[in-house]
Amino acid sequence: MRVIGVTGGVGSGKSFVLNYIEEHFDARVVKADDVGHLLMMPGQVCYEPVIRLFGDWIVNEDGSLNRETIAQIVFEKKDMLEKLDKIIHPAVKKYIVREIERSKKEETEFFFIEAALLLEDNYDEIYDELWYIYCEKEVRMERLRRDRGYSEEKARKVMENQLSEDEFEAKCDFLLYNDEDVAHTYLQIERRMRTYYEPM
C-alpha cells in the first residue's frame, strides 16, 4: 500500500481532488480535520482535555463541544490555538497511524492523508510521498468568500498562518495545479496515479 500525504493552502481544493481519487481508485482518504472533530466528541480522547482548556461553558446542552466558539477563540488568541493543537494533533496522528495499519490488512492500494500541517507535524515519518495542491491566491480567496463565507480579512489572516508556497513546493514530490480548469486537474491526477502501476 502506498501512503500519500496531500497538503496545500487553505482554499486550494484538497477535498475536491481527494473526492475524485476516492471515486476512481482503490483509495482510502482520511482528513485530519474530520478526525479532529471525531476525537472531540463526547467519550472520545480529546473531549475532556479540551473542556479543561476552555472551561465548561463551551459545552452545548446536548453535551457536544461548541466548535464555532472554540474556532473564534483560537482565531483571536494564538496561545490558545497552540494549546489546543497540543491536545488535538498528537491524537489525530495516532488515530491515522492505526487506520493505515487497518487499511494495509484490508489490502487497500492507496491511503491518502489530507492535513494542512503535514509538514509542521512531521507526517513525513508516515507517508511515502507528498502531493502539494497549488492554486493561485486570488482564486483561493474567492473560494473562501464564496464557499465558506469568509471576509477578505479572515481569508488573508488564515493564509498568513500557513507555510509559504515556496516552502510547500520545496518539500513536495508532486505538484498538482488545481485552477478553474477541472478537466486539467483530473488529467494530472490520472497521469500521476498511472505512474504507480508502471514497472520500475
Side-chain angles (χ1 to χ4, degrees):
M1 187 177 75
R2 186 180 292 267
V3 181
I4 298 171
V6 176
T7 194
V10 62
S12 59
K14 297 183 288 294
S15 292
F16 171 78
V17 168
L18 290 167
N19 288 343
Y20 181 84
I21 288 168
E22 209 167 19
E23 288 170 14
H24 292 85
F25 299 92
D26 178 21
R28 171 90 190 278
V29 172
V30 172
K31 300 176 183 179
D33 277 354
D34 293 346
V35 176
H37 295 161
L38 170 68
L39 298 182
M40 287 171 66
M41 292 176 69
Q44 295 292 330
V45 66
C46 296
Y47 180 73
E48 292 294 343
V50 171
I51 293 174
R52 285 196 295 273
L53 176 61
F54 292 96
D56 292 338
W57 67 281
I58 58 147
V59 181
N60 294 318
E61 288 184 11
D62 64 358
S64 65
L65 300 179
N66 190 324
R67 289 195 285 109
E68 291 78 14
T69 300
I70 292 171
Q72 191 174 350
I73 292 169
V74 299
F75 184 70
E76 294 169 358
K77 297 181 178 180
K78 196 168 184 179
D79 63 317
M80 293 299 283
L81 175 59
E82 290 171 359
K83 289 174 183 176
L84 179 64
D85 285 349
K86 285 177 181 174
I87 295 170
I88 304 295
H89 291 172
V92 168
K93 196 172 183 181
K94 189 180 286 188
Y95 178 96
I96 290 173
V97 168
R98 285 200 305 266
E99 291 305 303
I100 287 172
E101 291 308 312
R102 180 186 298 181
S103 293
K104 280 180 181 174
K105 288 173 184 171
E106 293 170 355
E107 299 184 347
T108 306
E109 285 188 277
F110 301 95
F111 190 102
F112 282 81
I113 309 165
E114 186 268 298
L117 299 175
L118 283 178
L119 297 178
E120 297 92 325
D121 282 351
N122 299 317
Y123 273 83
D124 55 338
E125 303 163 347
I126 298 172
Y127 57 68
D128 299 310
E129 65 178 62
L130 178 66
W131 288 19
Y132 173 51
I133 313 300
Y134 174 82
C135 183
E136 294 285 348
K137 190 172 284 187
E138 292 72 23
V139 177
R140 290 163 53 203
M141 293 280 287
E142 177 55 33
R143 286 176 181 167
L144 292 173
R145 285 195 294 265
R146 182 187 67 214
D147 301 337
R148 304 191 196 181
Y150 282 18
S151 65
E152 187 163 330
E153 181 190 0
K154 182 172 183 180
R156 286 191 190 283
K157 195 166 181 180
V158 171
M159 286 183 183
E160 285 167 5
N161 285 335
Q162 295 190 312
L163 293 178
S164 69
E165 290 168 359
D166 289 343
E167 288 173 291
F168 277 124
E169 288 183 32
K171 298 283 188 179
C172 77
D173 301 287
F174 174 56
L175 182 62
L176 193 157
Y177 290 90
N178 185 32
D179 50 21
E180 297 297 87
D181 185 348
V182 173
H184 182 234
T185 299
Y186 291 160
L187 181 61
Q188 292 172 84
I189 295 169
E190 293 286 347
R191 282 177 174 166
R192 183 65 179 184
M193 294 300 287
R194 272 204 302 273
T195 66
Y196 302 133
Y197 295 101
E198 294 170 357
M200 299 298 285

